[in-house]
Amino acid sequence: MRANQLIALLQEHNLFRSTTLKSDDVDFASLTYDSRKASANGLFVCKGFNFSVDYLHAAIQNGASAYLAEKDYHVDVPVILVSDVRKALSLAAQLYFGFPQNDLFVIGYTGTKGKTTSTYFTKNILNHAFPQQVAMFSTINHILGPRPEDQFRAHLTTAESFDLFHEMRQAVDNGQKVLVMEVASQAYLLDRVYGLKFDVGIFLNISPDHIGVNEHPNFANYLFCKMQLMLNSRNCIIDADMDHFDEVYAAAKVSTEPDHIFTYGFNQEQASLSITSSEATLTDSEFGLTANDERLTDLATTFNVSVPGDFNQSNATAAILASYLAGAHVADMQTGLAHTTIPGRMEFIKTQHHGTVYIDYAHDWGSMNALLSFLHTQFPDHQITTVLGSTGDKGEDRREGFAQALNDYADVAFLTTDDPGHEDPIAIAKEIDSHIDHNKVNVTIIAQREEAIQHAIATATNNDLVVLAGKGQDAYQKINGVDTPYASDPVVAHEVIDGLADEK
């Protein structure tokens, strides 16, 4: 990566301030923001809320020949000074990795809930249209190619910009033509996708979440960050049923022509696609689409989805539109949706005598409300038992939201541990409990999650629906800053069921 090319790119974005390089005719052999990975003739990026000059000294010791920063640290190597180091890092990473997005059709999903499910739906459809050529960045895992070694567990919903463009380059080198990815609000708050133009951006929904000291200061900022995807997409897809639809649609129109904005919703005559019919069971669902946009007439047919929930019919419709714009055919969509499984999303276990157990990653009011509302509406004669906790150190508003969803739709709740971080899980459970109407919901607090799941399933009858919410297939609990091993909800549930005398 040549210094003069980087400086020109930074100037184009009004980020460049000055440099102490003796000449800009320098070729950097490497780029990193991790001092441990610095190497000879490399450029080190000084970024992070807790950045220490000690990291810069370590990078220099490891061979870094220059650094990029917002301030001059007066060390022995030259500096490239910028006004915003996070934005500069994103641009530098794009340049260093050869702008890999130019060789990919990039689809991005944002929304308070449904991002992972919609991403999986879309990838599975496109797998049929473009076999072994579809990459995916999701909350659960990243898939950069067809080989097992190209797939690994995700650490962030949207990776740091350097890692994001590095993985894009790997995907391109592995022969991938399409990338489907989740775009968290933090991605725009922290400029992880700065300068990236999406071929398709999808806004699924929004409800209050991720608001707190370590996240967004308020809902307005949360919405603003999410709407940035609409401003940075060549084609926009928006759920017409969502709250704040008018604001999101207005944001899309700022940079996107109206004929490149598509909408969908239940019985929405003004939407590009209207979800016209639905039939749901405990394990799957069927729906039909009506096309109100003549360009989409091929999509006016029936689809079966391998996971239940009217909200998943909505997610599937978003995936249909996104995959259509990517070049998939209806047959690809029908096959893909009918055979998609999403780890930790509406997984179910049918027991002989203890009802149906659902495992879902629902971790905020929006996703919990949608899940419990669907079960309550579709199966009003079934008692709903829930096992849930709430994360520590962030999203404190979720706790009252969980209680609200329980008050509206649940009969029994076991409050337990779910990634408590540095907080006391019992204190978190008691905070949720303080908002619960005990005339409606029978509450038990059990700190050990495995024990709570045991009680919930063992006490359920065959007319009950047992919901294990929050953890999905996570095989860890975040406790005091450490990812502590945990068997995962599906494994624990199977062990509980296998151990019940009347299930043998």
Side-chain angles (χ1 to χ4, degrees):
M1 179 178 67
R2 302 198 69 79
N4 53 13
Q5 293 176 322
L6 175 59
I7 290 171
L9 184 59
L10 294 171
Q11 288 173 329
E12 181 183 337
H13 288 259
N14 297 313
L15 296 172
F16 179 73
R17 289 169 52 202
S18 64
T19 182
T20 58
L21 285 168
K22 293 181 179 178
S23 168
D24 64 6
D25 188 21
V26 177
D27 194 3
F28 295 118
S30 65
L31 174 73
T32 186
Y33 63 94
D34 185 339
S35 60
R36 296 166 296 184
K37 297 178 181 179
S39 58
N41 300 316
L43 178 65
F44 177 68
V45 181
C46 304
K47 78 134 192 99
F49 293 119
N50 299 312
F51 181 78
S52 167
V53 71
D54 292 339
Y55 300 144
L56 176 56
H57 287 301
I60 294 170
Q61 203 167 36
N62 288 333
S65 58
Y67 66 100
L68 182 128
E70 292 178 7
K71 62 177 288 187
D72 189 339
Y73 288 98
H74 302 289
V75 292
D76 294 334
V77 299
V79 61
I80 299 174
L81 287 173
V82 294
S83 56
D84 189 317
V85 73
R86 286 189 170 276
K87 291 179 179 178
L89 173 60
S90 183
L91 295 175
Q94 292 172 53
L95 177 63
Y96 181 72
F97 291 113
F99 298 96
Q101 66 268 36
N102 294 342
D103 295 315
L104 293 165
F105 188 91
V106 185
I107 299 170
Y109 278 97
T110 199
T112 304
K113 63 180 188 290
K115 294 188 297 296
T116 301
T117 298
S118 301
T119 297
Y120 267 82
F121 281 156
T122 308
K123 185 183 189 301
N124 214 40
I125 291 170
L126 294 175
N127 279 345
H128 293 278
F130 311 107
Q132 297 191 332
Q133 294 182 310
V134 185
M136 179 178 75
F137 300 167
S138 83
T139 300
I140 299 174
N141 61 359
H142 285 202
I143 299 174
L144 309 183
R147 302 170 302 176
E149 57 265 37
D150 298 326
Q151 305 178 21
F152 52 91
R153 176 177 163 243
H155 297 287
L156 295 168
T157 299
T158 309
E160 181 58 75
S161 59
F162 177 88
D163 305 304
L164 178 71
F165 291 105
H166 181 202
E167 290 177 14
M168 281 190 186
R169 170 47 57 195
Q170 291 176 285
V172 170
D173 291 347
N174 289 335
Q176 307 302 282
K177 301 299 183 185
V178 183
L179 168 63
V180 188
M181 62 180 286
E182 297 182 43
V183 185
S185 57
Q186 295 278 310
Y188 282 106
L189 182 68
L190 301 177
D191 293 307
R192 292 173 183 161
V193 291
Y194 179 78
L196 176 60
K197 191 78 171 179
F198 291 82
D199 292 287
V200 182
I202 305 98
F203 203 124
L204 297 170
N205 49 67
I206 190 161
S207 56
D209 192 34
H210 297 290
I211 297 166
V213 175
N214 298 319
E215 297 181 282
H216 297 278
N218 49 54
F219 178 77
N221 179 261
Y222 177 52
L223 175 60
F224 173 82
C225 288
K226 283 198 168 295
M227 289 195 298
Q228 299 312 298
L229 178 60
M230 299 293 95
L231 296 169
N232 290 281
S233 296
R234 296 182 178 92
N235 297 278
C236 297
I237 298 172
I238 310 170
D239 184 351
D241 293 328
M242 64 175 282
D243 292 339
H244 302 278
F245 169 77
D246 290 341
E247 293 163 78
V248 175
Y249 192 86
K253 288 197 298 182
V254 169
S255 57
T256 307
E257 293 296 323
D259 61 350
H260 287 274
I261 302 175
F262 302 84
T263 59
Y264 65 94
F266 284 94
N267 302 309
Q268 290 274 5
E269 295 182 1
Q270 302 303 314
S272 307
L273 282 181
S274 177
I275 305 171
T276 57
S277 62
S278 62
E279 180 180 340
T281 71
L282 285 169
T283 58
D284 56 17
S285 62
E286 177 182 300
F287 66 96
L289 293 180
T290 299
N292 300 314
D293 182 330
E294 61 183 15
R295 296 172 297 172
L296 307 177
T297 52
D298 289 350
L299 305 180
T301 186
T302 301
F303 298 87
N304 291 286
V305 188
S306 58
V307 290
D310 50 1
F311 49 92
N312 281 323
Q313 294 169 3
S314 179
N315 293 332
T317 303
I320 287 167
L321 275 168
S323 58
Y324 170 79
L325 293 172
H329 298 291
V330 169
D332 302 319
M333 301 168 193
Q334 290 175 320
T335 303
L337 291 174
H339 298 93
T340 298
T341 57
I342 303 104
R345 264 66 176 182
M346 288 300 278
E347 290 188 58
F348 61 89
I349 307 169
K350 282 191 168 183
T351 71
Q352 296 181 57
H353 304 288
H354 296 269
T356 302
V357 179
Y358 287 95
I359 297 105
D360 194 86
Y361 189 63
H363 62 289
D364 55 33
W365 174 84
S367 52
M368 182 69 73
N369 188 71
L371 171 58
L372 297 186
S373 172
F374 163 73
L375 294 175
H376 176 79
T377 302
Q378 294 293 324
F379 313 104
D381 296 333
H382 289 63
Q383 175 171 283
I384 297 176
T385 296
T386 60
V387 176
L388 66 102
S390 189
T391 53
D393 304 331
K394 64 178 183 178
E396 294 181 12
D397 56 314
R398 294 176 182 177
R399 300 168 193 181
E400 185 173 355
F402 283 146
Q404 180 183 337
L406 294 173
N407 289 338
D408 289 340
Y409 303 113
D411 301 287
V412 177
F414 289 88
L415 303 181
T416 187
T417 301
D418 181 350
D419 291 345
H422 295 87
E423 294 189 56
D424 177 1
I426 292 296
I428 294 174
K430 287 181 177 178
E431 186 175 347
I432 298 171
D433 185 55
S434 69
H435 300 288
I436 292 177
D437 184 345
H438 295 92
N439 293 319
K440 296 179 178 179
V441 186
N442 184 357
V443 178
T444 303
I445 295 177
I446 301 175
Q448 195 73 16
R449 190 173 180 92
E450 296 90 337
E451 186 180 344
I453 293 173
Q454 160 74 36
H455 280 272
I457 296 175
T459 57
T461 70
N462 221 19
N463 204 40
D464 292 355
L465 307 176
V466 180
V467 177
L468 312 182
K471 291 299 295 174
Q473 289 204 358
D474 288 351
Y476 61 89
Q477 288 270 17
K478 290 184 179 294
I479 301 174
N480 293 321
V482 177
D483 284 357
T484 305
Y486 167 68
S488 84
D489 283 358
V491 170
V492 173
H494 279 292
E495 289 177 349
V496 168
I497 293 165
D498 292 343
L500 294 173
D502 55 356
E503 293 290 328
K504 295 179 180 179

PDB file of all heavy atoms in Angstrom, residues 184-206:
ATOM      1  N   ALA A 184     -24.914  -4.114  12.018  1.00  0.00           N
ATOM      2  CA  ALA A 184     -25.380  -3.626  13.312  1.00  0.00           C
ATOM      3  C   ALA A 184     -25.340  -2.106  13.355  1.00  0.00           C
ATOM      4  O   ALA A 184     -24.575  -1.458  12.623  1.00  0.00           O
ATOM      5  CB  ALA A 184     -24.516  -4.200  14.429  1.00  0.00           C
ATOM      6  N   SER A 185     -26.137  -1.518  14.216  1.00  0.00           N
ATOM      7  CA  SER A 185     -26.104  -0.068  14.384  1.00  0.00           C
ATOM      8  C   SER A 185     -24.715   0.396  14.818  1.00  0.00           C
ATOM      9  O   SER A 185     -24.264   1.488  14.454  1.00  0.00           O
ATOM     10  CB  SER A 185     -27.149   0.367  15.416  1.00  0.00           C
ATOM     11  OG  SER A 185     -26.935  -0.296  16.664  1.00  0.00           O
ATOM     12  N   GLN A 186     -24.017  -0.446  15.591  1.00  0.00           N
ATOM     13  CA  GLN A 186     -22.657  -0.118  16.025  1.00  0.00           C
ATOM     14  C   GLN A 186     -21.696   0.004  14.839  1.00  0.00           C
ATOM     15  O   GLN A 186     -20.679   0.699  14.921  1.00  0.00           O
ATOM     16  CB  GLN A 186     -22.146  -1.194  16.987  1.00  0.00           C
ATOM     17  CG  GLN A 186     -22.901  -1.275  18.304  1.00  0.00           C
ATOM     18  CD  GLN A 186     -22.427  -0.249  19.302  1.00  0.00           C
ATOM     19  OE1 GLN A 186     -21.234  -0.111  19.544  1.00  0.00           O
ATOM     20  NE2 GLN A 186     -23.349   0.481  19.908  1.00  0.00           N
ATOM     21  N   ALA A 187     -22.024  -0.670  13.733  1.00  0.00           N
ATOM     22  CA  ALA A 187     -21.166  -0.600  12.555  1.00  0.00           C
ATOM     23  C   ALA A 187     -21.069   0.824  12.044  1.00  0.00           C
ATOM     24  O   ALA A 187     -20.004   1.255  11.573  1.00  0.00           O
ATOM     25  CB  ALA A 187     -21.701  -1.520  11.461  1.00  0.00           C
ATOM     26  N   TYR A 188     -22.166   1.573  12.127  1.00  0.00           N
ATOM     27  CA  TYR A 188     -22.144   2.978  11.706  1.00  0.00           C
ATOM     28  C   TYR A 188     -21.740   3.896  12.843  1.00  0.00           C
ATOM     29  O   TYR A 188     -21.062   4.900  12.626  1.00  0.00           O
ATOM     30  CB  TYR A 188     -23.496   3.374  11.123  1.00  0.00           C
ATOM     31  CG  TYR A 188     -23.668   2.882   9.703  1.00  0.00           C
ATOM     32  CD1 TYR A 188     -24.491   1.808   9.411  1.00  0.00           C
ATOM     33  CD2 TYR A 188     -22.961   3.472   8.658  1.00  0.00           C
ATOM     34  CE1 TYR A 188     -24.619   1.335   8.105  1.00  0.00           C
ATOM     35  CE2 TYR A 188     -23.078   3.015   7.359  1.00  0.00           C
ATOM     36  CZ  TYR A 188     -23.913   1.940   7.087  1.00  0.00           C
ATOM     37  OH  TYR A 188     -24.017   1.477   5.800  1.00  0.00           O
ATOM     38  N   LEU A 189     -22.122   3.560  14.068  1.00  0.00           N
ATOM     39  CA  LEU A 189     -21.715   4.383  15.211  1.00  0.00           C
ATOM     40  C   LEU A 189     -20.197   4.430  15.319  1.00  0.00           C
ATOM     41  O   LEU A 189     -19.617   5.471  15.640  1.00  0.00           O
ATOM     42  CB  LEU A 189     -22.323   3.809  16.500  1.00  0.00           C
ATOM     43  CG  LEU A 189     -22.033   4.578  17.788  1.00  0.00           C
ATOM     44  CD1 LEU A 189     -22.728   5.937  17.770  1.00  0.00           C
ATOM     45  CD2 LEU A 189     -22.475   3.783  19.011  1.00  0.00           C
ATOM     46  N   LEU A 190     -19.546   3.301  15.031  1.00  0.00           N
ATOM     47  CA  LEU A 190     -18.093   3.204  15.173  1.00  0.00           C
ATOM     48  C   LEU A 190     -17.376   3.171  13.823  1.00  0.00           C
ATOM     49  O   LEU A 190     -16.195   2.821  13.752  1.00  0.00           O
ATOM     50  CB  LEU A 190     -17.748   1.939  15.985  1.00  0.00           C
ATOM     51  CG  LEU A 190     -18.344   1.887  17.392  1.00  0.00           C
ATOM     52  CD1 LEU A 190     -18.010   0.566  18.071  1.00  0.00           C
ATOM     53  CD2 LEU A 190     -17.867   3.058  18.242  1.00  0.00           C
ATOM     54  N   ASP A 191     -18.089   3.514  12.747  1.00  0.00           N
ATOM     55  CA  ASP A 191     -17.496   3.659  11.407  1.00  0.00           C
ATOM     56  C   ASP A 191     -16.809   2.393  10.910  1.00  0.00           C
ATOM     57  O   ASP A 191     -15.791   2.448  10.205  1.00  0.00           O
ATOM     58  CB  ASP A 191     -16.499   4.831  11.383  1.00  0.00           C
ATOM     59  CG  ASP A 191     -17.199   6.168  11.571  1.00  0.00           C
ATOM     60  OD1 ASP A 191     -18.149   6.439  10.829  1.00  0.00           O
ATOM     61  OD2 ASP A 191     -16.794   6.922  12.480  1.00  0.00           O
ATOM     62  N   ARG A 192     -17.386   1.239  11.237  1.00  0.00           N
ATOM     63  CA  ARG A 192     -16.791  -0.020  10.767  1.00  0.00           C
ATOM     64  C   ARG A 192     -17.057  -0.273   9.290  1.00  0.00           C
ATOM     65  O   ARG A 192     -16.348  -1.065   8.665  1.00  0.00           O
ATOM     66  CB  ARG A 192     -17.327  -1.190  11.604  1.00  0.00           C
ATOM     67  CG  ARG A 192     -16.859  -1.172  13.050  1.00  0.00           C
ATOM     68  CD  ARG A 192     -17.546  -2.251  13.864  1.00  0.00           C
ATOM     69  NE  ARG A 192     -17.141  -2.168  15.270  1.00  0.00           N
ATOM     70  CZ  ARG A 192     -17.820  -2.725  16.271  1.00  0.00           C
ATOM     71  NH1 ARG A 192     -18.934  -3.402  16.024  1.00  0.00           N
ATOM     72  NH2 ARG A 192     -17.380  -2.603  17.508  1.00  0.00           N
ATOM     73  N   VAL A 193     -18.101   0.343   8.750  1.00  0.00           N
ATOM     74  CA  VAL A 193     -18.407   0.156   7.324  1.00  0.00           C
ATOM     75  C   VAL A 193     -18.304   1.492   6.585  1.00  0.00           C
ATOM     76  O   VAL A 193     -18.917   1.666   5.532  1.00  0.00           O
ATOM     77  CB  VAL A 193     -19.800  -0.483   7.123  1.00  0.00           C
ATOM     78  CG1 VAL A 193     -19.811  -1.925   7.590  1.00  0.00           C
ATOM     79  CG2 VAL A 193     -20.884   0.316   7.861  1.00  0.00           C
ATOM     80  N   TYR A 194     -17.534   2.417   7.125  1.00  0.00           N
ATOM     81  CA  TYR A 194     -17.383   3.723   6.480  1.00  0.00           C
ATOM     82  C   TYR A 194     -16.814   3.549   5.068  1.00  0.00           C
ATOM     83  O   TYR A 194     -15.835   2.841   4.844  1.00  0.00           O
ATOM     84  CB  TYR A 194     -16.452   4.620   7.300  1.00  0.00           C
ATOM     85  CG  TYR A 194     -16.240   5.973   6.662  1.00  0.00           C
ATOM     86  CD1 TYR A 194     -17.211   6.966   6.750  1.00  0.00           C
ATOM     87  CD2 TYR A 194     -15.079   6.242   5.940  1.00  0.00           C
ATOM     88  CE1 TYR A 194     -17.026   8.205   6.141  1.00  0.00           C
ATOM     89  CE2 TYR A 194     -14.886   7.479   5.330  1.00  0.00           C
ATOM     90  CZ  TYR A 194     -15.869   8.447   5.438  1.00  0.00           C
ATOM     91  OH  TYR A 194     -15.695   9.666   4.824  1.00  0.00           O
ATOM     92  N   GLY A 195     -17.471   4.193   4.100  1.00  0.00           N
ATOM     93  CA  GLY A 195     -17.005   4.144   2.722  1.00  0.00           C
ATOM     94  C   GLY A 195     -17.479   2.939   1.939  1.00  0.00           C
ATOM     95  O   GLY A 195     -17.166   2.818   0.744  1.00  0.00           O
ATOM     96  N   LEU A 196     -18.229   2.035   2.573  1.00  0.00           N
ATOM     97  CA  LEU A 196     -18.722   0.842   1.890  1.00  0.00           C
ATOM     98  C   LEU A 196     -20.100   1.113   1.299  1.00  0.00           C
ATOM     99  O   LEU A 196     -21.015   1.547   2.000  1.00  0.00           O
ATOM    100  CB  LEU A 196     -18.800  -0.335   2.869  1.00  0.00           C
ATOM    101  CG  LEU A 196     -19.399  -1.633   2.323  1.00  0.00           C
ATOM    102  CD1 LEU A 196     -18.585  -2.154   1.142  1.00  0.00           C
ATOM    103  CD2 LEU A 196     -19.474  -2.689   3.427  1.00  0.00           C
ATOM    104  N   LYS A 197     -20.246   0.863   0.009  1.00  0.00           N
ATOM    105  CA  LYS A 197     -21.526   1.008  -0.668  1.00  0.00           C
ATOM    106  C   LYS A 197     -22.118  -0.384  -0.866  1.00  0.00           C
ATOM    107  O   LYS A 197     -21.485  -1.255  -1.472  1.00  0.00           O
ATOM    108  CB  LYS A 197     -21.342   1.698  -2.026  1.00  0.00           C
ATOM    109  CG  LYS A 197     -22.637   2.134  -2.689  1.00  0.00           C
ATOM    110  CD  LYS A 197     -23.169   3.411  -2.056  1.00  0.00           C
ATOM    111  CE  LYS A 197     -24.349   3.975  -2.841  1.00  0.00           C
ATOM    112  NZ  LYS A 197     -24.886   5.205  -2.238  1.00  0.00           N
ATOM    113  N   PHE A 198     -23.330  -0.596  -0.342  1.00  0.00           N
ATOM    114  CA  PHE A 198     -24.007  -1.882  -0.470  1.00  0.00           C
ATOM    115  C   PHE A 198     -24.803  -1.921  -1.774  1.00  0.00           C
ATOM    116  O   PHE A 198     -25.403  -0.929  -2.184  1.00  0.00           O
ATOM    117  CB  PHE A 198     -24.947  -2.109   0.714  1.00  0.00           C
ATOM    118  CG  PHE A 198     -24.242  -2.333   2.020  1.00  0.00           C
ATOM    119  CD1 PHE A 198     -23.778  -1.258   2.769  1.00  0.00           C
ATOM    120  CD2 PHE A 198     -24.023  -3.610   2.499  1.00  0.00           C
ATOM    121  CE1 PHE A 198     -23.112  -1.445   3.970  1.00  0.00           C
ATOM    122  CE2 PHE A 198     -23.364  -3.826   3.702  1.00  0.00           C
ATOM    123  CZ  PHE A 198     -22.906  -2.743   4.437  1.00  0.00           C
ATOM    124  N   ASP A 199     -24.823  -3.094  -2.404  1.00  0.00           N
ATOM    125  CA  ASP A 199     -25.668  -3.251  -3.589  1.00  0.00           C
ATOM    126  C   ASP A 199     -27.136  -3.306  -3.188  1.00  0.00           C
ATOM    127  O   ASP A 199     -27.997  -2.767  -3.883  1.00  0.00           O
ATOM    128  CB  ASP A 199     -25.269  -4.517  -4.348  1.00  0.00           C
ATOM    129  CG  ASP A 199     -23.902  -4.380  -4.973  1.00  0.00           C
ATOM    130  OD1 ASP A 199     -23.770  -3.653  -5.967  1.00  0.00           O
ATOM    131  OD2 ASP A 199     -22.946  -4.984  -4.442  1.00  0.00           O
ATOM    132  N   VAL A 200     -27.418  -3.930  -2.042  1.00  0.00           N
ATOM    133  CA  VAL A 200     -28.773  -3.978  -1.498  1.00  0.00           C
ATOM    134  C   VAL A 200     -28.695  -3.761   0.005  1.00  0.00           C
ATOM    135  O   VAL A 200     -27.911  -4.430   0.692  1.00  0.00           O
ATOM    136  CB  VAL A 200     -29.472  -5.337  -1.775  1.00  0.00           C
ATOM    137  CG1 VAL A 200     -30.902  -5.315  -1.234  1.00  0.00           C
ATOM    138  CG2 VAL A 200     -29.473  -5.666  -3.264  1.00  0.00           C
ATOM    139  N   GLY A 201     -29.486  -2.834   0.526  1.00  0.00           N
ATOM    140  CA  GLY A 201     -29.593  -2.614   1.966  1.00  0.00           C
ATOM    141  C   GLY A 201     -31.018  -2.859   2.398  1.00  0.00           C
ATOM    142  O   GLY A 201     -31.953  -2.351   1.771  1.00  0.00           O
ATOM    143  N   ILE A 202     -31.200  -3.645   3.442  1.00  0.00           N
ATOM    144  CA  ILE A 202     -32.540  -4.011   3.908  1.00  0.00           C
ATOM    145  C   ILE A 202     -32.738  -3.537   5.334  1.00  0.00           C
ATOM    146  O   ILE A 202     -31.915  -3.823   6.213  1.00  0.00           O
ATOM    147  CB  ILE A 202     -32.774  -5.532   3.845  1.00  0.00           C
ATOM    148  CG1 ILE A 202     -32.500  -6.069   2.427  1.00  0.00           C
ATOM    149  CG2 ILE A 202     -34.196  -5.881   4.264  1.00  0.00           C
ATOM    150  CD1 ILE A 202     -31.141  -6.674   2.255  1.00  0.00           C
ATOM    151  N   PHE A 203     -33.828  -2.803   5.569  1.00  0.00           N
ATOM    152  CA  PHE A 203     -34.192  -2.336   6.912  1.00  0.00           C
ATOM    153  C   PHE A 203     -35.417  -3.137   7.342  1.00  0.00           C
ATOM    154  O   PHE A 203     -36.512  -2.962   6.822  1.00  0.00           O
ATOM    155  CB  PHE A 203     -34.516  -0.844   6.884  1.00  0.00           C
ATOM    156  CG  PHE A 203     -34.365  -0.156   8.209  1.00  0.00           C
ATOM    157  CD1 PHE A 203     -33.535   0.940   8.350  1.00  0.00           C
ATOM    158  CD2 PHE A 203     -35.062  -0.606   9.333  1.00  0.00           C
ATOM    159  CE1 PHE A 203     -33.389   1.592   9.577  1.00  0.00           C
ATOM    160  CE2 PHE A 203     -34.917   0.024  10.560  1.00  0.00           C
ATOM    161  CZ  PHE A 203     -34.078   1.125  10.679  1.00  0.00           C
ATOM    162  N   LEU A 204     -35.219  -4.040   8.306  1.00  0.00           N
ATOM    163  CA  LEU A 204     -36.270  -4.972   8.712  1.00  0.00           C
ATOM    164  C   LEU A 204     -37.269  -4.364   9.686  1.00  0.00           C
ATOM    165  O   LEU A 204     -38.478  -4.572   9.562  1.00  0.00           O
ATOM    166  CB  LEU A 204     -35.646  -6.222   9.344  1.00  0.00           C
ATOM    167  CG  LEU A 204     -34.752  -7.063   8.431  1.00  0.00           C
ATOM    168  CD1 LEU A 204     -34.019  -8.111   9.258  1.00  0.00           C
ATOM    169  CD2 LEU A 204     -35.575  -7.719   7.334  1.00  0.00           C
ATOM    170  N   ASN A 205     -36.796  -3.641  10.684  1.00  0.00           N
ATOM    171  CA  ASN A 205     -37.663  -3.135  11.746  1.00  0.00           C
ATOM    172  C   ASN A 205     -36.811  -2.364  12.738  1.00  0.00           C
ATOM    173  O   ASN A 205     -35.580  -2.403  12.668  1.00  0.00           O
ATOM    174  CB  ASN A 205     -38.369  -4.295  12.485  1.00  0.00           C
ATOM    175  CG  ASN A 205     -37.378  -5.372  12.894  1.00  0.00           C
ATOM    176  OD1 ASN A 205     -36.522  -5.166  13.733  1.00  0.00           O
ATOM    177  ND2 ASN A 205     -37.477  -6.538  12.262  1.00  0.00           N
ATOM    178  N   ILE A 206     -37.471  -1.692  13.660  1.00  0.00           N
ATOM    179  CA  ILE A 206     -36.727  -1.048  14.747  1.00  0.00           C
ATOM    180  C   ILE A 206     -37.623  -0.922  15.967  1.00  0.00           C
ATOM    181  O   ILE A 206     -38.823  -0.658  15.870  1.00  0.00           O
ATOM    182  CB  ILE A 206     -36.178   0.339  14.333  1.00  0.00           C
ATOM    183  CG1 ILE A 206     -35.209   0.858  15.407  1.00  0.00           C
ATOM    184  CG2 ILE A 206     -37.306   1.340  14.060  1.00  0.00           C
ATOM    185  CD1 ILE A 206     -34.293   1.965  14.913  1.00  0.00           C
TER     186      ILE A 206
END
